Amino acid sequence: MRATTRLALLGTSLALAVTAVGATSAQADDVGAGNITIDKAVVNGGKPVVVGTTNAVTAKVSVTATDNSGIAKASYISGDGPGPNFATIWYDDGDITCVAVSATTSTCSGTLTFDPQAETGFANNAAAGTWNLGALVSANDFDYIRRDAATTFKVQRASKLTVNASPEPVKKGKTLTVTGKLSRANWEDNLYHGYAGQPVKLQFRKKGSSTYTTVKTIKTDSTGNLKTTVTAATDGYFRYSFAGTSTTPAVSAAGDFVDVQ
């Protein structure tokens, strides 16, 4: 998802055009001419975009803009990530549709694609983090606005978490060993690797209950592995639960049932 030449040239030409007409932007990061405004931008319903190692992930995006003459089109909507990471859709390619909300306001929508397998995919794991959503929107009277950060959103490395409690069955009062592993997508080799040094909660749900209670919190080792011991008390389910970080989503393992005799 690297920046294309077309995008670079477009940005240059817009900057020159603004200088020529002496336009004043409404916001510090705006480039444009006239009284057109970008009112709202939404990515993936406000949720992070979580990408694994195999399948392309799509995220719906929308930009709402207003001008007294009405909105003509959004030339492009672009996700700008950390480092040389981009995901861009273009009106000329038929990827953006603008729908009038009123005579002066339209919402322009499309879908950004994040593909870990594509040749133009993530440059490296540094792509995980906060991205800016930019857009270039024009009005029927040729007013236009380019905003490089209409909103922000997160792109995260998909996570996995396992758990195993043993021995099973176990006598009441005996020791149970609970192991597991926290891993996350690596976009440089398209494999999952252990996530080291992360706090993970060991939780227990008594048989017949729907609520998990935290027993203790431990940290993953240098390879993402988890291991701790507890005393067997009653039938129920053990799981590990990870709260997530800015680059990695929260995840909980499926509960492992333990029969206590």
Side-chain angles (χ1 to χ4, degrees), residues 36-156:
I36 185 172
T37 60
I38 291 178
D39 308 320
K40 184 180 180 181
V42 179
V43 180
N44 202 38
K47 298 177 181 179
V49 180
V50 179
V51 184
T53 60
T54 305
N55 298 324
V57 174
T58 57
K60 292 183 178 179
V61 296
S62 65
V63 175
T64 301
T66 298
D67 186 84
N68 59 354
S69 70
I71 300 301
K73 65 179 181 179
S75 296
Y76 73 79
I77 300 175
S78 178
D80 180 9
N85 298 289
F86 269 79
T88 306
I89 51 177
W90 300 87
Y91 181 87
D92 290 344
D93 293 338
D95 295 331
I96 301 173
T97 301
C98 293
V99 176
V101 177
S102 68
T104 58
T105 302
S106 292
T107 296
C108 299
S109 304
T111 301
L112 293 178
T113 300
F114 303 83
D115 188 353
Q117 295 284 340
E119 291 183 5
T120 55
F122 302 102
N124 50 47
N125 292 325
T130 301
W131 288 50
N132 293 322
L133 186 78
L136 169 63
V137 185
S138 58
N140 290 323
D141 62 0
F142 303 107
D143 289 354
Y144 69 90
I145 182 172
R146 189 195 78 197
R147 185 173 295 171
D148 293 334
T151 191
T152 60
F153 63 101
K154 290 190 182 298
V155 175
Q156 296 181 322

Side-chain angles (χ1 to χ4, degrees), residues 136-227:
L136 169 63
V137 185
S138 58
N140 290 323
D141 62 0
F142 303 107
D143 289 354
Y144 69 90
I145 182 172
R146 189 195 78 197
R147 185 173 295 171
D148 293 334
T151 191
T152 60
F153 63 101
K154 290 190 182 298
V155 175
Q156 296 181 322
R157 298 162 63 179
S159 54
K160 293 181 179 181
L161 187 55
T162 63
V163 66
N164 181 60
S166 63
E168 301 174 57
V170 64
K171 290 190 182 230
K172 185 175 181 179
K174 294 296 184 180
T175 298
L176 272 170
T177 299
V178 187
T179 58
K181 183 168 185 174
L182 174 65
S183 58
R184 61 177 178 166
N186 185 310
W187 297 326
E188 295 169 15
D189 61 8
N190 291 324
L191 299 172
Y192 279 82
H193 294 266
Y195 196 4
Q198 299 303 308
V200 178
K201 293 178 179 179
L202 175 65
Q203 299 181 325
F204 179 75
R205 175 168 66 88
K206 187 177 180 180
K207 182 180 178 181
S209 171
S210 60
T211 304
Y212 275 95
T213 301
T214 297
V215 178
K216 63 174 75 173
T217 299
I218 64 173
K219 282 191 175 183
T220 57
D221 67 12
S222 61
T223 57
N225 289 313
L226 295 155
K227 184 176 182 180

